[in-house]
Amino acid sequence: MVKPILKVEGLKTYFYTEDGVVKAVDGVSFELEKGETLGIVGESGCGKSVTAYSLMRLVPDPPGKIVSGKIEYKGLDLRELNKKQMSRIRGDGISMIFQEPMASLTPVYTVGKQIVETIMTHQDVDKDTARGRAVQLLKDVGIPAPESRVDVYPHELSGGMCQRVMIALALSCHPDILIADEPTTALDVTVQAQILQLMNDLKRKYKMTIIIITHDLGVIAEMSDKIGVMYAGKLVEYADAYSLFSEPLHPYTLRLINSVPRLDTAGDRLITIPGRVPNPLALPQGCRFNNRCDLADHRCRSEEPGFEKINSEHFVSCFNSKQQFSQVAH
């Protein structure tokens, strides 16, 4: 049996505020094998980015804290590492593309200097060698004239080019796992397609495992082998990509899929999900989706559903998933 490169069990990350405890990530579990891509999807405020920051152990403490759970990378529990040990894992083992490239890149340093410093921090190479690798990385991510662009500042590049620099920076030490948090946000459709194609090409080239976080189901469908649907800090459905799109079992998953505009329904009224993600300081009793769900009954409003295994690749957190499946099937 192939051992997973990443195994997350019962991950809980809470934020302690003056108004109360925010359960941003509340019991998330999944595992990935080398070379797989996991897409995590959900509305804003569902805990997707906090999950990513937790895996990297970048949650600010205080006010945030990983209160329980395991994050095993190649069998090593990252929660047990000290700051110096964890710093070695970041970049070398697990790397991350942050959500806002213009805000994540340091404006007073050239893009090349930022890549060179990352390489030299994690690998025993001299400055000239690191610079040569930086130029090659910029070429790999499709930046034209990398020999000259290596010396420009972030503000001299477009949003799409900055995103490519962020990818080069994340790949600078050839990580096993790449976490991409909203990698196509604020990019036009053409550039989005180029970035996604680039990530797929680099995945094959470097045999990487990817976790991609987004609210865009089109991106998820194009990139993912497995998909986790998050709502109010929890995974409500987890399945391989084909099963999730062909047989969605959770009402929230189905509503997300149905809310995507389609060419064959042009002119029809867009389908929306009523209501909004609940305030994390005042979560509803029972299932956290019950106040927005057409299938909710008394049990849904009083008891929180577990994470039920439908088959080896499909899990769902819903008391009415069989009823939901019946509706989808017919």
Side-chain angles (χ1 to χ4, degrees), residues 169-200:
L169 193 61
L171 295 176
S172 58
C173 296
H174 303 307
D176 294 313
I177 300 171
L178 177 66
I179 301 173
D181 187 7
E182 299 281 6
T184 58
T185 298
L187 301 178
D188 63 59
V189 176
T190 303
V191 177
Q192 282 187 28
Q194 292 172 353
I195 293 295
L196 295 179
Q197 183 60 53
L198 170 64
M199 290 180 64
N200 272 326

PDB file of all heavy atoms in Angstrom, residues 169-200:
ATOM      1  N   LEU A 169       8.989  31.484  -7.094  1.00  0.00           N
ATOM      2  CA  LEU A 169       9.487  31.567  -5.724  1.00  0.00           C
ATOM      3  C   LEU A 169       9.102  30.324  -4.937  1.00  0.00           C
ATOM      4  O   LEU A 169       9.911  29.746  -4.200  1.00  0.00           O
ATOM      5  CB  LEU A 169       8.907  32.818  -5.062  1.00  0.00           C
ATOM      6  CG  LEU A 169       9.503  33.285  -3.744  1.00  0.00           C
ATOM      7  CD1 LEU A 169      10.973  33.628  -3.896  1.00  0.00           C
ATOM      8  CD2 LEU A 169       8.729  34.489  -3.220  1.00  0.00           C
ATOM      9  N   ALA A 170       7.853  29.881  -5.106  1.00  0.00           N
ATOM     10  CA  ALA A 170       7.382  28.696  -4.401  1.00  0.00           C
ATOM     11  C   ALA A 170       8.100  27.430  -4.865  1.00  0.00           C
ATOM     12  O   ALA A 170       8.290  26.482  -4.093  1.00  0.00           O
ATOM     13  CB  ALA A 170       5.880  28.541  -4.590  1.00  0.00           C
ATOM     14  N   LEU A 171       8.525  27.412  -6.140  1.00  0.00           N
ATOM     15  CA  LEU A 171       9.177  26.219  -6.700  1.00  0.00           C
ATOM     16  C   LEU A 171      10.697  26.256  -6.574  1.00  0.00           C
ATOM     17  O   LEU A 171      11.368  25.313  -6.990  1.00  0.00           O
ATOM     18  CB  LEU A 171       8.819  26.088  -8.185  1.00  0.00           C
ATOM     19  CG  LEU A 171       7.351  25.830  -8.526  1.00  0.00           C
ATOM     20  CD1 LEU A 171       7.168  25.833 -10.034  1.00  0.00           C
ATOM     21  CD2 LEU A 171       6.876  24.514  -7.935  1.00  0.00           C
ATOM     22  N   SER A 172      11.228  27.316  -5.993  1.00  0.00           N
ATOM     23  CA  SER A 172      12.671  27.538  -6.013  1.00  0.00           C
ATOM     24  C   SER A 172      13.483  26.423  -5.368  1.00  0.00           C
ATOM     25  O   SER A 172      14.648  26.218  -5.712  1.00  0.00           O
ATOM     26  CB  SER A 172      13.012  28.873  -5.349  1.00  0.00           C
ATOM     27  OG  SER A 172      12.547  28.907  -4.019  1.00  0.00           O
ATOM     28  N   CYS A 173      12.894  25.696  -4.428  1.00  0.00           N
ATOM     29  CA  CYS A 173      13.621  24.600  -3.769  1.00  0.00           C
ATOM     30  C   CYS A 173      13.023  23.236  -4.107  1.00  0.00           C
ATOM     31  O   CYS A 173      13.237  22.264  -3.379  1.00  0.00           O
ATOM     32  CB  CYS A 173      13.644  24.822  -2.258  1.00  0.00           C
ATOM     33  SG  CYS A 173      14.533  26.303  -1.764  1.00  0.00           S
ATOM     34  N   HIS A 174      12.247  23.176  -5.181  1.00  0.00           N
ATOM     35  CA  HIS A 174      11.628  21.928  -5.647  1.00  0.00           C
ATOM     36  C   HIS A 174      10.871  21.210  -4.530  1.00  0.00           C
ATOM     37  O   HIS A 174      11.218  20.084  -4.144  1.00  0.00           O
ATOM     38  CB  HIS A 174      12.687  20.987  -6.247  1.00  0.00           C
ATOM     39  CG  HIS A 174      13.465  21.590  -7.361  1.00  0.00           C
ATOM     40  ND1 HIS A 174      12.868  22.168  -8.449  1.00  0.00           N
ATOM     41  CD2 HIS A 174      14.803  21.727  -7.550  1.00  0.00           C
ATOM     42  CE1 HIS A 174      13.796  22.622  -9.274  1.00  0.00           C
ATOM     43  NE2 HIS A 174      14.980  22.380  -8.751  1.00  0.00           N
ATOM     44  N   PRO A 175       9.814  21.830  -3.984  1.00  0.00           N
ATOM     45  CA  PRO A 175       9.074  21.224  -2.873  1.00  0.00           C
ATOM     46  C   PRO A 175       8.301  19.986  -3.305  1.00  0.00           C
ATOM     47  O   PRO A 175       7.967  19.817  -4.487  1.00  0.00           O
ATOM     48  CB  PRO A 175       8.112  22.334  -2.451  1.00  0.00           C
ATOM     49  CG  PRO A 175       7.886  23.112  -3.721  1.00  0.00           C
ATOM     50  CD  PRO A 175       9.216  23.098  -4.426  1.00  0.00           C
ATOM     51  N   ASP A 176       8.015  19.123  -2.335  1.00  0.00           N
ATOM     52  CA  ASP A 176       7.172  17.953  -2.604  1.00  0.00           C
ATOM     53  C   ASP A 176       5.711  18.361  -2.736  1.00  0.00           C
ATOM     54  O   ASP A 176       4.954  17.761  -3.502  1.00  0.00           O
ATOM     55  CB  ASP A 176       7.296  16.936  -1.453  1.00  0.00           C
ATOM     56  CG  ASP A 176       8.687  16.344  -1.352  1.00  0.00           C
ATOM     57  OD1 ASP A 176       9.226  15.944  -2.390  1.00  0.00           O
ATOM     58  OD2 ASP A 176       9.234  16.297  -0.232  1.00  0.00           O
ATOM     59  N   ILE A 177       5.312  19.353  -1.933  1.00  0.00           N
ATOM     60  CA  ILE A 177       3.914  19.789  -1.896  1.00  0.00           C
ATOM     61  C   ILE A 177       3.844  21.284  -2.163  1.00  0.00           C
ATOM     62  O   ILE A 177       4.558  22.073  -1.546  1.00  0.00           O
ATOM     63  CB  ILE A 177       3.268  19.477  -0.529  1.00  0.00           C
ATOM     64  CG1 ILE A 177       3.310  17.969  -0.238  1.00  0.00           C
ATOM     65  CG2 ILE A 177       1.823  19.974  -0.483  1.00  0.00           C
ATOM     66  CD1 ILE A 177       2.892  17.603   1.173  1.00  0.00           C
ATOM     67  N   LEU A 178       2.968  21.665  -3.086  1.00  0.00           N
ATOM     68  CA  LEU A 178       2.739  23.077  -3.393  1.00  0.00           C
ATOM     69  C   LEU A 178       1.309  23.428  -3.008  1.00  0.00           C
ATOM     70  O   LEU A 178       0.355  22.797  -3.480  1.00  0.00           O
ATOM     71  CB  LEU A 178       2.953  23.352  -4.883  1.00  0.00           C
ATOM     72  CG  LEU A 178       2.664  24.779  -5.358  1.00  0.00           C
ATOM     73  CD1 LEU A 178       3.658  25.759  -4.739  1.00  0.00           C
ATOM     74  CD2 LEU A 178       2.710  24.859  -6.881  1.00  0.00           C
ATOM     75  N   ILE A 179       1.149  24.419  -2.126  1.00  0.00           N
ATOM     76  CA  ILE A 179      -0.176  24.910  -1.745  1.00  0.00           C
ATOM     77  C   ILE A 179      -0.420  26.210  -2.489  1.00  0.00           C
ATOM     78  O   ILE A 179       0.359  27.152  -2.380  1.00  0.00           O
ATOM     79  CB  ILE A 179      -0.275  25.134  -0.223  1.00  0.00           C
ATOM     80  CG1 ILE A 179       0.012  23.833   0.533  1.00  0.00           C
ATOM     81  CG2 ILE A 179      -1.658  25.665   0.152  1.00  0.00           C
ATOM     82  CD1 ILE A 179       0.100  24.014   2.044  1.00  0.00           C
ATOM     83  N   ALA A 180      -1.497  26.261  -3.248  1.00  0.00           N
ATOM     84  CA  ALA A 180      -1.828  27.454  -4.031  1.00  0.00           C
ATOM     85  C   ALA A 180      -3.135  28.035  -3.517  1.00  0.00           C
ATOM     86  O   ALA A 180      -4.198  27.436  -3.686  1.00  0.00           O
ATOM     87  CB  ALA A 180      -1.943  27.103  -5.519  1.00  0.00           C
ATOM     88  N   ASP A 181      -3.041  29.189  -2.859  1.00  0.00           N
ATOM     89  CA  ASP A 181      -4.223  29.827  -2.272  1.00  0.00           C
ATOM     90  C   ASP A 181      -4.772  30.868  -3.243  1.00  0.00           C
ATOM     91  O   ASP A 181      -4.179  31.933  -3.431  1.00  0.00           O
ATOM     92  CB  ASP A 181      -3.836  30.481  -0.938  1.00  0.00           C
ATOM     93  CG  ASP A 181      -5.050  31.012  -0.177  1.00  0.00           C
ATOM     94  OD1 ASP A 181      -6.182  30.754  -0.612  1.00  0.00           O
ATOM     95  OD2 ASP A 181      -4.850  31.689   0.850  1.00  0.00           O
ATOM     96  N   GLU A 182      -5.903  30.537  -3.866  1.00  0.00           N
ATOM     97  CA  GLU A 182      -6.540  31.417  -4.856  1.00  0.00           C
ATOM     98  C   GLU A 182      -5.518  31.913  -5.887  1.00  0.00           C
ATOM     99  O   GLU A 182      -5.304  33.123  -6.034  1.00  0.00           O
ATOM    100  CB  GLU A 182      -7.203  32.608  -4.154  1.00  0.00           C
ATOM    101  CG  GLU A 182      -8.301  32.247  -3.178  1.00  0.00           C
ATOM    102  CD  GLU A 182      -9.628  31.932  -3.844  1.00  0.00           C
ATOM    103  OE1 GLU A 182      -9.666  31.879  -5.087  1.00  0.00           O
ATOM    104  OE2 GLU A 182     -10.615  31.711  -3.125  1.00  0.00           O
ATOM    105  N   PRO A 183      -4.873  31.006  -6.625  1.00  0.00           N
ATOM    106  CA  PRO A 183      -3.775  31.419  -7.523  1.00  0.00           C
ATOM    107  C   PRO A 183      -4.221  32.232  -8.728  1.00  0.00           C
ATOM    108  O   PRO A 183      -3.374  32.819  -9.407  1.00  0.00           O
ATOM    109  CB  PRO A 183      -3.175  30.084  -7.962  1.00  0.00           C
ATOM    110  CG  PRO A 183      -4.312  29.116  -7.888  1.00  0.00           C
ATOM    111  CD  PRO A 183      -5.118  29.557  -6.694  1.00  0.00           C
ATOM    112  N   THR A 184      -5.526  32.281  -9.014  1.00  0.00           N
ATOM    113  CA  THR A 184      -5.969  33.030 -10.194  1.00  0.00           C
ATOM    114  C   THR A 184      -6.869  34.208  -9.837  1.00  0.00           C
ATOM    115  O   THR A 184      -7.521  34.780 -10.703  1.00  0.00           O
ATOM    116  CB  THR A 184      -6.726  32.102 -11.169  1.00  0.00           C
ATOM    117  OG1 THR A 184      -7.841  31.507 -10.501  1.00  0.00           O
ATOM    118  CG2 THR A 184      -5.813  31.007 -11.681  1.00  0.00           C
ATOM    119  N   THR A 185      -6.905  34.584  -8.555  1.00  0.00           N
ATOM    120  CA  THR A 185      -7.722  35.723  -8.143  1.00  0.00           C
ATOM    121  C   THR A 185      -7.254  37.006  -8.821  1.00  0.00           C
ATOM    122  O   THR A 185      -6.061  37.265  -8.928  1.00  0.00           O
ATOM    123  CB  THR A 185      -7.650  35.905  -6.612  1.00  0.00           C
ATOM    124  OG1 THR A 185      -8.192  34.738  -5.991  1.00  0.00           O
ATOM    125  CG2 THR A 185      -8.440  37.113  -6.155  1.00  0.00           C
ATOM    126  N   ALA A 186      -8.212  37.809  -9.284  1.00  0.00           N
ATOM    127  CA  ALA A 186      -7.954  39.125  -9.882  1.00  0.00           C
ATOM    128  C   ALA A 186      -7.213  39.050 -11.217  1.00  0.00           C
ATOM    129  O   ALA A 186      -6.712  40.059 -11.706  1.00  0.00           O
ATOM    130  CB  ALA A 186      -7.184  40.022  -8.912  1.00  0.00           C
ATOM    131  N   LEU A 187      -7.133  37.872 -11.813  1.00  0.00           N
ATOM    132  CA  LEU A 187      -6.513  37.750 -13.126  1.00  0.00           C
ATOM    133  C   LEU A 187      -7.604  37.597 -14.182  1.00  0.00           C
ATOM    134  O   LEU A 187      -8.652  36.998 -13.929  1.00  0.00           O
ATOM    135  CB  LEU A 187      -5.582  36.533 -13.170  1.00  0.00           C
ATOM    136  CG  LEU A 187      -4.425  36.517 -12.163  1.00  0.00           C
ATOM    137  CD1 LEU A 187      -3.630  35.224 -12.310  1.00  0.00           C
ATOM    138  CD2 LEU A 187      -3.520  37.720 -12.340  1.00  0.00           C
ATOM    139  N   ASP A 188      -7.364  38.124 -15.370  1.00  0.00           N
ATOM    140  CA  ASP A 188      -8.370  37.966 -16.416  1.00  0.00           C
ATOM    141  C   ASP A 188      -8.395  36.512 -16.892  1.00  0.00           C
ATOM    142  O   ASP A 188      -7.502  35.721 -16.593  1.00  0.00           O
ATOM    143  CB  ASP A 188      -8.134  38.932 -17.579  1.00  0.00           C
ATOM    144  CG  ASP A 188      -6.809  38.698 -18.289  1.00  0.00           C
ATOM    145  OD1 ASP A 188      -6.596  37.585 -18.790  1.00  0.00           O
ATOM    146  OD2 ASP A 188      -5.984  39.632 -18.341  1.00  0.00           O
ATOM    147  N   VAL A 189      -9.439  36.170 -17.634  1.00  0.00           N
ATOM    148  CA  VAL A 189      -9.691  34.774 -17.986  1.00  0.00           C
ATOM    149  C   VAL A 189      -8.535  34.149 -18.758  1.00  0.00           C
ATOM    150  O   VAL A 189      -8.151  33.001 -18.510  1.00  0.00           O
ATOM    151  CB  VAL A 189     -11.001  34.662 -18.805  1.00  0.00           C
ATOM    152  CG1 VAL A 189     -11.217  33.220 -19.255  1.00  0.00           C
ATOM    153  CG2 VAL A 189     -12.187  35.129 -17.977  1.00  0.00           C
ATOM    154  N   THR A 190      -7.951  34.898 -19.691  1.00  0.00           N
ATOM    155  CA  THR A 190      -6.845  34.363 -20.488  1.00  0.00           C
ATOM    156  C   THR A 190      -5.636  34.048 -19.613  1.00  0.00           C
ATOM    157  O   THR A 190      -5.027  32.978 -19.734  1.00  0.00           O
ATOM    158  CB  THR A 190      -6.442  35.368 -21.586  1.00  0.00           C
ATOM    159  OG1 THR A 190      -7.578  35.653 -22.397  1.00  0.00           O
ATOM    160  CG2 THR A 190      -5.341  34.796 -22.456  1.00  0.00           C
ATOM    161  N   VAL A 191      -5.302  34.974 -18.717  1.00  0.00           N
ATOM    162  CA  VAL A 191      -4.158  34.760 -17.825  1.00  0.00           C
ATOM    163  C   VAL A 191      -4.453  33.620 -16.852  1.00  0.00           C
ATOM    164  O   VAL A 191      -3.565  32.824 -16.538  1.00  0.00           O
ATOM    165  CB  VAL A 191      -3.807  36.060 -17.067  1.00  0.00           C
ATOM    166  CG1 VAL A 191      -2.661  35.830 -16.093  1.00  0.00           C
ATOM    167  CG2 VAL A 191      -3.433  37.161 -18.053  1.00  0.00           C
ATOM    168  N   GLN A 192      -5.700  33.521 -16.363  1.00  0.00           N
ATOM    169  CA  GLN A 192      -6.089  32.400 -15.498  1.00  0.00           C
ATOM    170  C   GLN A 192      -5.769  31.068 -16.165  1.00  0.00           C
ATOM    171  O   GLN A 192      -5.174  30.177 -15.560  1.00  0.00           O
ATOM    172  CB  GLN A 192      -7.587  32.459 -15.181  1.00  0.00           C
ATOM    173  CG  GLN A 192      -7.974  33.455 -14.126  1.00  0.00           C
ATOM    174  CD  GLN A 192      -9.443  33.333 -13.754  1.00  0.00           C
ATOM    175  OE1 GLN A 192     -10.027  32.267 -13.853  1.00  0.00           O
ATOM    176  NE2 GLN A 192     -10.037  34.436 -13.340  1.00  0.00           N
ATOM    177  N   ALA A 193      -6.189  30.940 -17.416  1.00  0.00           N
ATOM    178  CA  ALA A 193      -5.963  29.683 -18.147  1.00  0.00           C
ATOM    179  C   ALA A 193      -4.469  29.399 -18.284  1.00  0.00           C
ATOM    180  O   ALA A 193      -4.031  28.248 -18.151  1.00  0.00           O
ATOM    181  CB  ALA A 193      -6.619  29.765 -19.524  1.00  0.00           C
ATOM    182  N   GLN A 194      -3.683  30.441 -18.527  1.00  0.00           N
ATOM    183  CA  GLN A 194      -2.232  30.265 -18.654  1.00  0.00           C
ATOM    184  C   GLN A 194      -1.609  29.811 -17.329  1.00  0.00           C
ATOM    185  O   GLN A 194      -0.754  28.920 -17.312  1.00  0.00           O
ATOM    186  CB  GLN A 194      -1.590  31.580 -19.102  1.00  0.00           C
ATOM    187  CG  GLN A 194      -1.952  31.994 -20.524  1.00  0.00           C
ATOM    188  CD  GLN A 194      -1.456  33.394 -20.855  1.00  0.00           C
ATOM    189  OE1 GLN A 194      -0.962  34.114 -19.992  1.00  0.00           O
ATOM    190  NE2 GLN A 194      -1.601  33.783 -22.116  1.00  0.00           N
ATOM    191  N   ILE A 195      -2.054  30.401 -16.223  1.00  0.00           N
ATOM    192  CA  ILE A 195      -1.507  30.040 -14.910  1.00  0.00           C
ATOM    193  C   ILE A 195      -1.855  28.594 -14.565  1.00  0.00           C
ATOM    194  O   ILE A 195      -1.012  27.828 -14.068  1.00  0.00           O
ATOM    195  CB  ILE A 195      -2.030  30.994 -13.820  1.00  0.00           C
ATOM    196  CG1 ILE A 195      -1.486  32.420 -14.038  1.00  0.00           C
ATOM    197  CG2 ILE A 195      -1.665  30.493 -12.421  1.00  0.00           C
ATOM    198  CD1 ILE A 195       0.016  32.543 -13.894  1.00  0.00           C
ATOM    199  N   LEU A 196      -3.100  28.177 -14.833  1.00  0.00           N
ATOM    200  CA  LEU A 196      -3.514  26.811 -14.531  1.00  0.00           C
ATOM    201  C   LEU A 196      -2.746  25.804 -15.388  1.00  0.00           C
ATOM    202  O   LEU A 196      -2.325  24.745 -14.907  1.00  0.00           O
ATOM    203  CB  LEU A 196      -5.024  26.656 -14.743  1.00  0.00           C
ATOM    204  CG  LEU A 196      -5.921  27.467 -13.804  1.00  0.00           C
ATOM    205  CD1 LEU A 196      -7.389  27.251 -14.141  1.00  0.00           C
ATOM    206  CD2 LEU A 196      -5.655  27.114 -12.350  1.00  0.00           C
ATOM    207  N   GLN A 197      -2.567  26.124 -16.673  1.00  0.00           N
ATOM    208  CA  GLN A 197      -1.792  25.253 -17.545  1.00  0.00           C
ATOM    209  C   GLN A 197      -0.356  25.159 -17.064  1.00  0.00           C
ATOM    210  O   GLN A 197       0.252  24.086 -17.052  1.00  0.00           O
ATOM    211  CB  GLN A 197      -1.836  25.781 -18.983  1.00  0.00           C
ATOM    212  CG  GLN A 197      -1.114  24.898 -19.998  1.00  0.00           C
ATOM    213  CD  GLN A 197      -1.692  23.502 -20.075  1.00  0.00           C
ATOM    214  OE1 GLN A 197      -2.902  23.339 -20.260  1.00  0.00           O
ATOM    215  NE2 GLN A 197      -0.862  22.469 -19.911  1.00  0.00           N
ATOM    216  N   LEU A 198       0.191  26.301 -16.645  1.00  0.00           N
ATOM    217  CA  LEU A 198       1.552  26.332 -16.117  1.00  0.00           C
ATOM    218  C   LEU A 198       1.687  25.430 -14.892  1.00  0.00           C
ATOM    219  O   LEU A 198       2.645  24.648 -14.780  1.00  0.00           O
ATOM    220  CB  LEU A 198       1.928  27.772 -15.759  1.00  0.00           C
ATOM    221  CG  LEU A 198       3.229  27.972 -14.981  1.00  0.00           C
ATOM    222  CD1 LEU A 198       4.422  27.531 -15.819  1.00  0.00           C
ATOM    223  CD2 LEU A 198       3.378  29.442 -14.577  1.00  0.00           C
ATOM    224  N   MET A 199       0.727  25.508 -13.973  1.00  0.00           N
ATOM    225  CA  MET A 199       0.781  24.678 -12.763  1.00  0.00           C
ATOM    226  C   MET A 199       0.708  23.199 -13.105  1.00  0.00           C
ATOM    227  O   MET A 199       1.413  22.376 -12.515  1.00  0.00           O
ATOM    228  CB  MET A 199      -0.340  25.078 -11.804  1.00  0.00           C
ATOM    229  CG  MET A 199      -0.122  26.442 -11.169  1.00  0.00           C
ATOM    230  SD  MET A 199      -1.458  26.908 -10.034  1.00  0.00           S
ATOM    231  CE  MET A 199      -1.277  25.648  -8.788  1.00  0.00           C
ATOM    232  N   ASN A 200      -0.141  22.860 -14.061  1.00  0.00           N
ATOM    233  CA  ASN A 200      -0.227  21.449 -14.477  1.00  0.00           C
ATOM    234  C   ASN A 200       1.078  20.975 -15.116  1.00  0.00           C
ATOM    235  O   ASN A 200       1.530  19.855 -14.870  1.00  0.00           O
ATOM    236  CB  ASN A 200      -1.392  21.264 -15.452  1.00  0.00           C
ATOM    237  CG  ASN A 200      -2.711  20.985 -14.757  1.00  0.00           C
ATOM    238  OD1 ASN A 200      -2.738  20.332 -13.715  1.00  0.00           O
ATOM    239  ND2 ASN A 200      -3.800  21.489 -15.318  1.00  0.00           N
TER     240      ASN A 200
END
